[in-house]
Amino acid sequence: MYTRFKLLTNSIILFVLMMNLTLLFGQDVNVIPRIFPPYNQPFDQLKTQIVVDVINTSTNSHTGAFLRLSLEGSDNGIIIQSKEDFVYLDAFNLDSLKTESRFGNMGHFDDAFKINNLSFQGITASEVYDKGLPAGNYTLCFRLYNNDYDPISNDAPSGCTMFTILPPRAIEPPQLISPICGNEITTGNNNIVFSWTIPPGSDPSTTDYTLKMIELLPNQDPNQAFLASTVPAFFEKNVQMQNSILYGPTDPPLESGKRYAWQVIAKNEEFNTVFENEGRSEVCWFTWKPNTYTFIPPTNEPKDDTPLLNSFTINPSPTPRSSVYGKLYYNFKRPNSNLHSGAKPLKGVSVSLVVTYMFSGEYSDAGQSSKTYTYKPMSSGQASFMNDEHKKTQGQVLATTITDAEGNFNFENFINPYEE
């Protein structure tokens, strides 16, 4: 009797000990998640950058196993986790002593990342699916469950990985090119080419630009005028995939002698690009004062007190238009090689038509012998002999475009004041 009681007692102690060992050492399935940058993606896109290895260290097999996720921001109060009452469709079988790898880019987490299968705290579902997670430190965890909804892997911190989303680096706003700040425009017939730089680091194919122009009062500061301006502006136009706008005769007429201020605003909603100063460029201004001439019709009448015909004013500046198109290639220079061999189309780059004066003849710098130039771009010394009107137009951007996937460019129907 004593022996049987002793054996029963020992069996109970052994069972309790085994239970304690199970609690001490955990489950026999290990979950190892990995997440790859970039992390600042819409939440539904983030799943494609996740790989989870599920390692079964026991001889037990599991059918209908599935993963639940939880994501927590340690410094922003965000918690996103799987709902406990949802039946997951992306279940899989885990054989004994085997490793099963789950890949987000193969659709293994499509069900787990569906918006209706998750609960959100500290952020709305629309925010995280549209714009992605904000800057912060995050812990992403996965836990494996069997088809009876019992966990078969350890709880956090097991099955977890950490990652950090840094605050986005702000990109500089566009820099205005033409017309030059403070310039007086004396040519054209209500025609101006506005151009600006493409901000370095922005995506040229998805960045939108808004040109705004307002009329200035006498002695009004251009920056203060923009701050106090009302809607609508004197002129406003949106463009994409280009960094120039042609202001033409069909746009609001400019008044001679008036000053106008203008600004360009960059925005990229597709990639949520952060621009300095909310994408607003500096404010520039110009004075519209085209040259005009008074024309008096000739008369064969003898000179007397008869009043002359009424005079009228004409604008002598026509509006010449030009088009230039072509294809750009690039190649790397190598010794004893033909640059045309293996050249590839230069695609997706901004190209501009810029006024450049050429010099042909003999010229000598101080203390040096003269040299002969045959239509070479002017040096600064040569350019100093140009008249003031030419100096103003040196470097003027006439048109800007972006090459397509085949390297083709087309400056179509741009204003060319230099066409004869």
Side-chain angles (χ1 to χ4, degrees), residues 268-285:
N268 190 320
E269 295 182 344
E270 183 169 339
F271 291 102
N272 299 316
T273 304
V274 177
F275 290 95
E276 294 179 1
N277 196 33
E278 297 181 337
R280 299 176 181 274
S281 72
E282 61 177 330
V283 176
C284 272
W285 70 98

PDB file of all heavy atoms in Angstrom, residues 268-285:
ATOM      1  N   ASN A 268       3.939  66.709 -53.532  1.00  0.00           N
ATOM      2  CA  ASN A 268       3.947  65.332 -54.023  1.00  0.00           C
ATOM      3  C   ASN A 268       3.136  64.479 -53.066  1.00  0.00           C
ATOM      4  O   ASN A 268       3.625  64.020 -52.030  1.00  0.00           O
ATOM      5  CB  ASN A 268       5.376  64.783 -54.132  1.00  0.00           C
ATOM      6  CG  ASN A 268       5.445  63.458 -54.869  1.00  0.00           C
ATOM      7  OD1 ASN A 268       4.592  62.599 -54.700  1.00  0.00           O
ATOM      8  ND2 ASN A 268       6.461  63.287 -55.685  1.00  0.00           N
ATOM      9  N   GLU A 269       1.857  64.287 -53.391  1.00  0.00           N
ATOM     10  CA  GLU A 269       0.960  63.542 -52.513  1.00  0.00           C
ATOM     11  C   GLU A 269       1.123  62.039 -52.667  1.00  0.00           C
ATOM     12  O   GLU A 269       0.784  61.277 -51.759  1.00  0.00           O
ATOM     13  CB  GLU A 269      -0.488  63.941 -52.788  1.00  0.00           C
ATOM     14  CG  GLU A 269      -0.790  65.395 -52.445  1.00  0.00           C
ATOM     15  CD  GLU A 269      -2.232  65.758 -52.687  1.00  0.00           C
ATOM     16  OE1 GLU A 269      -2.922  64.990 -53.388  1.00  0.00           O
ATOM     17  OE2 GLU A 269      -2.678  66.809 -52.167  1.00  0.00           O
ATOM     18  N   GLU A 270       1.644  61.603 -53.816  1.00  0.00           N
ATOM     19  CA  GLU A 270       1.782  60.157 -54.037  1.00  0.00           C
ATOM     20  C   GLU A 270       2.795  59.550 -53.078  1.00  0.00           C
ATOM     21  O   GLU A 270       2.601  58.450 -52.564  1.00  0.00           O
ATOM     22  CB  GLU A 270       2.201  59.892 -55.484  1.00  0.00           C
ATOM     23  CG  GLU A 270       2.302  58.416 -55.818  1.00  0.00           C
ATOM     24  CD  GLU A 270       2.462  58.157 -57.306  1.00  0.00           C
ATOM     25  OE1 GLU A 270       2.108  59.058 -58.106  1.00  0.00           O
ATOM     26  OE2 GLU A 270       2.936  57.069 -57.669  1.00  0.00           O
ATOM     27  N   PHE A 271       3.906  60.244 -52.820  1.00  0.00           N
ATOM     28  CA  PHE A 271       4.936  59.722 -51.922  1.00  0.00           C
ATOM     29  C   PHE A 271       5.002  60.497 -50.608  1.00  0.00           C
ATOM     30  O   PHE A 271       5.933  60.307 -49.827  1.00  0.00           O
ATOM     31  CB  PHE A 271       6.309  59.767 -52.605  1.00  0.00           C
ATOM     32  CG  PHE A 271       6.443  58.802 -53.746  1.00  0.00           C
ATOM     33  CD1 PHE A 271       6.353  59.250 -55.049  1.00  0.00           C
ATOM     34  CD2 PHE A 271       6.626  57.451 -53.522  1.00  0.00           C
ATOM     35  CE1 PHE A 271       6.469  58.367 -56.112  1.00  0.00           C
ATOM     36  CE2 PHE A 271       6.738  56.563 -54.569  1.00  0.00           C
ATOM     37  CZ  PHE A 271       6.666  57.015 -55.871  1.00  0.00           C
ATOM     38  N   ASN A 272       4.023  61.379 -50.366  1.00  0.00           N
ATOM     39  CA  ASN A 272       3.977  62.163 -49.125  1.00  0.00           C
ATOM     40  C   ASN A 272       5.303  62.878 -48.871  1.00  0.00           C
ATOM     41  O   ASN A 272       5.808  62.914 -47.743  1.00  0.00           O
ATOM     42  CB  ASN A 272       3.628  61.257 -47.939  1.00  0.00           C
ATOM     43  CG  ASN A 272       2.284  60.597 -48.084  1.00  0.00           C
ATOM     44  OD1 ASN A 272       1.313  61.240 -48.468  1.00  0.00           O
ATOM     45  ND2 ASN A 272       2.205  59.312 -47.787  1.00  0.00           N
ATOM     46  N   THR A 273       5.884  63.422 -49.919  1.00  0.00           N
ATOM     47  CA  THR A 273       7.167  64.099 -49.802  1.00  0.00           C
ATOM     48  C   THR A 273       7.034  65.335 -48.926  1.00  0.00           C
ATOM     49  O   THR A 273       6.090  66.114 -49.067  1.00  0.00           O
ATOM     50  CB  THR A 273       7.686  64.512 -51.189  1.00  0.00           C
ATOM     51  OG1 THR A 273       7.752  63.347 -52.020  1.00  0.00           O
ATOM     52  CG2 THR A 273       9.069  65.119 -51.092  1.00  0.00           C
ATOM     53  N   VAL A 274       7.975  65.501 -48.003  1.00  0.00           N
ATOM     54  CA  VAL A 274       7.988  66.658 -47.120  1.00  0.00           C
ATOM     55  C   VAL A 274       8.935  67.704 -47.707  1.00  0.00           C
ATOM     56  O   VAL A 274      10.122  67.441 -47.915  1.00  0.00           O
ATOM     57  CB  VAL A 274       8.433  66.278 -45.692  1.00  0.00           C
ATOM     58  CG1 VAL A 274       8.502  67.513 -44.806  1.00  0.00           C
ATOM     59  CG2 VAL A 274       7.473  65.254 -45.106  1.00  0.00           C
ATOM     60  N   PHE A 275       8.415  68.883 -47.988  1.00  0.00           N
ATOM     61  CA  PHE A 275       9.210  69.983 -48.514  1.00  0.00           C
ATOM     62  C   PHE A 275       9.400  71.041 -47.438  1.00  0.00           C
ATOM     63  O   PHE A 275       8.513  71.258 -46.600  1.00  0.00           O
ATOM     64  CB  PHE A 275       8.520  70.634 -49.721  1.00  0.00           C
ATOM     65  CG  PHE A 275       8.490  69.774 -50.955  1.00  0.00           C
ATOM     66  CD1 PHE A 275       7.391  68.979 -51.230  1.00  0.00           C
ATOM     67  CD2 PHE A 275       9.556  69.761 -51.843  1.00  0.00           C
ATOM     68  CE1 PHE A 275       7.342  68.190 -52.359  1.00  0.00           C
ATOM     69  CE2 PHE A 275       9.525  68.980 -52.975  1.00  0.00           C
ATOM     70  CZ  PHE A 275       8.420  68.189 -53.235  1.00  0.00           C
ATOM     71  N   GLU A 276      10.555  71.684 -47.458  1.00  0.00           N
ATOM     72  CA  GLU A 276      10.765  72.828 -46.580  1.00  0.00           C
ATOM     73  C   GLU A 276       9.800  73.952 -46.978  1.00  0.00           C
ATOM     74  O   GLU A 276       9.448  74.101 -48.152  1.00  0.00           O
ATOM     75  CB  GLU A 276      12.215  73.319 -46.686  1.00  0.00           C
ATOM     76  CG  GLU A 276      13.247  72.331 -46.171  1.00  0.00           C
ATOM     77  CD  GLU A 276      14.660  72.858 -46.316  1.00  0.00           C
ATOM     78  OE1 GLU A 276      14.828  74.005 -46.800  1.00  0.00           O
ATOM     79  OE2 GLU A 276      15.609  72.123 -45.966  1.00  0.00           O
ATOM     80  N   ASN A 277       9.391  74.726 -45.975  1.00  0.00           N
ATOM     81  CA  ASN A 277       8.496  75.869 -46.199  1.00  0.00           C
ATOM     82  C   ASN A 277       7.225  75.444 -46.927  1.00  0.00           C
ATOM     83  O   ASN A 277       6.687  76.198 -47.735  1.00  0.00           O
ATOM     84  CB  ASN A 277       9.229  76.967 -46.990  1.00  0.00           C
ATOM     85  CG  ASN A 277       8.511  78.303 -46.929  1.00  0.00           C
ATOM     86  OD1 ASN A 277       7.885  78.637 -45.929  1.00  0.00           O
ATOM     87  ND2 ASN A 277       8.578  79.067 -48.009  1.00  0.00           N
ATOM     88  N   GLU A 278       6.780  74.198 -46.646  1.00  0.00           N
ATOM     89  CA  GLU A 278       5.564  73.654 -47.263  1.00  0.00           C
ATOM     90  C   GLU A 278       5.651  73.672 -48.791  1.00  0.00           C
ATOM     91  O   GLU A 278       4.637  73.777 -49.486  1.00  0.00           O
ATOM     92  CB  GLU A 278       4.328  74.433 -46.794  1.00  0.00           C
ATOM     93  CG  GLU A 278       4.088  74.318 -45.290  1.00  0.00           C
ATOM     94  CD  GLU A 278       2.852  75.074 -44.848  1.00  0.00           C
ATOM     95  OE1 GLU A 278       2.448  76.008 -45.571  1.00  0.00           O
ATOM     96  OE2 GLU A 278       2.298  74.718 -43.793  1.00  0.00           O
ATOM     97  N   GLY A 279       6.873  73.541 -49.312  1.00  0.00           N
ATOM     98  CA  GLY A 279       7.073  73.484 -50.755  1.00  0.00           C
ATOM     99  C   GLY A 279       7.052  74.831 -51.447  1.00  0.00           C
ATOM    100  O   GLY A 279       7.139  74.892 -52.683  1.00  0.00           O
ATOM    101  N   ARG A 280       6.957  75.927 -50.684  1.00  0.00           N
ATOM    102  CA  ARG A 280       6.849  77.256 -51.280  1.00  0.00           C
ATOM    103  C   ARG A 280       8.231  77.821 -51.589  1.00  0.00           C
ATOM    104  O   ARG A 280       9.113  77.851 -50.722  1.00  0.00           O
ATOM    105  CB  ARG A 280       6.105  78.214 -50.347  1.00  0.00           C
ATOM    106  CG  ARG A 280       4.684  77.774 -50.054  1.00  0.00           C
ATOM    107  CD  ARG A 280       4.010  78.702 -49.057  1.00  0.00           C
ATOM    108  NE  ARG A 280       2.656  78.242 -48.763  1.00  0.00           N
ATOM    109  CZ  ARG A 280       1.597  78.551 -49.477  1.00  0.00           C
ATOM    110  NH1 ARG A 280       1.730  79.359 -50.532  1.00  0.00           N
ATOM    111  NH2 ARG A 280       0.409  78.088 -49.169  1.00  0.00           N
ATOM    112  N   SER A 281       8.415  78.289 -52.805  1.00  0.00           N
ATOM    113  CA  SER A 281       9.664  78.918 -53.196  1.00  0.00           C
ATOM    114  C   SER A 281       9.744  80.323 -52.610  1.00  0.00           C
ATOM    115  O   SER A 281       8.809  80.796 -51.956  1.00  0.00           O
ATOM    116  CB  SER A 281       9.755  78.996 -54.720  1.00  0.00           C
ATOM    117  OG  SER A 281       8.844  79.968 -55.218  1.00  0.00           O
ATOM    118  N   GLU A 282      10.861  80.983 -52.860  1.00  0.00           N
ATOM    119  CA  GLU A 282      10.944  82.396 -52.530  1.00  0.00           C
ATOM    120  C   GLU A 282       9.928  83.160 -53.397  1.00  0.00           C
ATOM    121  O   GLU A 282       9.409  82.625 -54.384  1.00  0.00           O
ATOM    122  CB  GLU A 282      12.353  82.908 -52.827  1.00  0.00           C
ATOM    123  CG  GLU A 282      12.736  82.776 -54.304  1.00  0.00           C
ATOM    124  CD  GLU A 282      14.098  83.345 -54.610  1.00  0.00           C
ATOM    125  OE1 GLU A 282      14.513  84.292 -53.920  1.00  0.00           O
ATOM    126  OE2 GLU A 282      14.752  82.838 -55.542  1.00  0.00           O
ATOM    127  N   VAL A 283       9.679  84.386 -53.039  1.00  0.00           N
ATOM    128  CA  VAL A 283       8.790  85.241 -53.823  1.00  0.00           C
ATOM    129  C   VAL A 283       9.636  86.164 -54.691  1.00  0.00           C
ATOM    130  O   VAL A 283      10.524  86.852 -54.189  1.00  0.00           O
ATOM    131  CB  VAL A 283       7.865  86.073 -52.918  1.00  0.00           C
ATOM    132  CG1 VAL A 283       7.023  87.034 -53.744  1.00  0.00           C
ATOM    133  CG2 VAL A 283       6.973  85.148 -52.084  1.00  0.00           C
ATOM    134  N   CYS A 284       9.402  86.134 -55.998  1.00  0.00           N
ATOM    135  CA  CYS A 284      10.081  87.041 -56.912  1.00  0.00           C
ATOM    136  C   CYS A 284       9.070  87.997 -57.535  1.00  0.00           C
ATOM    137  O   CYS A 284       7.856  87.763 -57.464  1.00  0.00           O
ATOM    138  CB  CYS A 284      10.805  86.255 -58.010  1.00  0.00           C
ATOM    139  SG  CYS A 284      12.491  85.776 -57.549  1.00  0.00           S
ATOM    140  N   TRP A 285       9.569  89.056 -58.150  1.00  0.00           N
ATOM    141  CA  TRP A 285       8.682  90.034 -58.759  1.00  0.00           C
ATOM    142  C   TRP A 285       9.325  90.589 -60.020  1.00  0.00           C
ATOM    143  O   TRP A 285      10.530  90.463 -60.249  1.00  0.00           O
ATOM    144  CB  TRP A 285       8.371  91.160 -57.772  1.00  0.00           C
ATOM    145  CG  TRP A 285       9.550  92.056 -57.490  1.00  0.00           C
ATOM    146  CD1 TRP A 285       9.828  93.265 -58.052  1.00  0.00           C
ATOM    147  CD2 TRP A 285      10.619  91.788 -56.580  1.00  0.00           C
ATOM    148  NE1 TRP A 285      10.999  93.770 -57.564  1.00  0.00           N
ATOM    149  CE2 TRP A 285      11.510  92.881 -56.652  1.00  0.00           C
ATOM    150  CE3 TRP A 285      10.916  90.727 -55.714  1.00  0.00           C
ATOM    151  CZ2 TRP A 285      12.668  92.940 -55.893  1.00  0.00           C
ATOM    152  CZ3 TRP A 285      12.074  90.790 -54.968  1.00  0.00           C
ATOM    153  CH2 TRP A 285      12.931  91.883 -55.049  1.00  0.00           C
TER     154      TRP A 285
END
